[in-house]
Amino acid sequence: MSDLPKIERMTSRPQFLAAAKGASQARGAVVVQRLDRADGDPVVRIGFTATRKVGGAVQRNRAKRRLREAARALIPAHAAPGADYVLIARMGTVGRPWDRLL
């Protein structure tokens, strides 16, 4: 378990804006943005966001909760050390079956 990188949450807007300059891939109900920081720090930072296009506050919060759980399941095994990830919810995030969301 010690070979897994440390994972932290992104909290400030500049971190999200920097990650937006990296590679971006749309994967069904989720857009994944990735930025290699190249700062020598092996910490993986991850952030979650949902725009108002997803729906009202209840739907946006539900979408972000689902993204956090998906990240908890997948990021430790698949994240590259020293990278920032932003998971952006899309309209289908809330209603998508769990196995397809993963």
Side-chain angles (χ1 to χ4, degrees):
M1 187 116 181
S2 63
D3 59 342
L4 297 177
K6 183 176 183 220
I7 299 172
E8 294 179 353
R9 289 283 298 274
M10 294 170 62
T11 55
S12 67
R13 180 169 166 77
Q15 292 173 332
F16 281 85
L17 293 176
K21 290 180 169 64
S24 178
Q25 288 188 338
R27 293 285 184 219
V30 179
V31 175
V32 179
Q33 296 175 336
R34 176 179 180 223
L35 176 70
D36 289 321
R37 293 191 313 270
D39 59 0
D41 188 4
V43 172
V44 173
R45 293 189 308 202
I46 185 160
F48 307 93
T49 188
T51 66
R52 287 175 48 189
K53 289 181 183 180
V54 172
V58 173
Q59 285 84 13
R60 290 195 307 271
N61 289 335
R62 183 173 293 139
K64 288 189 284 187
R65 281 195 307 268
R66 293 190 87 202
L67 290 180
R68 283 193 293 269
E69 285 303 314
R72 216 171 261 125
L74 297 175
I75 290 293
H78 299 288
D84 288 349
Y85 293 90
V86 175
L87 302 179
I88 304 171
R90 295 172 97 182
M91 285 191 225
T93 304
V94 174
R96 182 150 306 210
W98 181 247
D99 57 339
R100 289 202 53 219
L101 184 65
L102 291 178

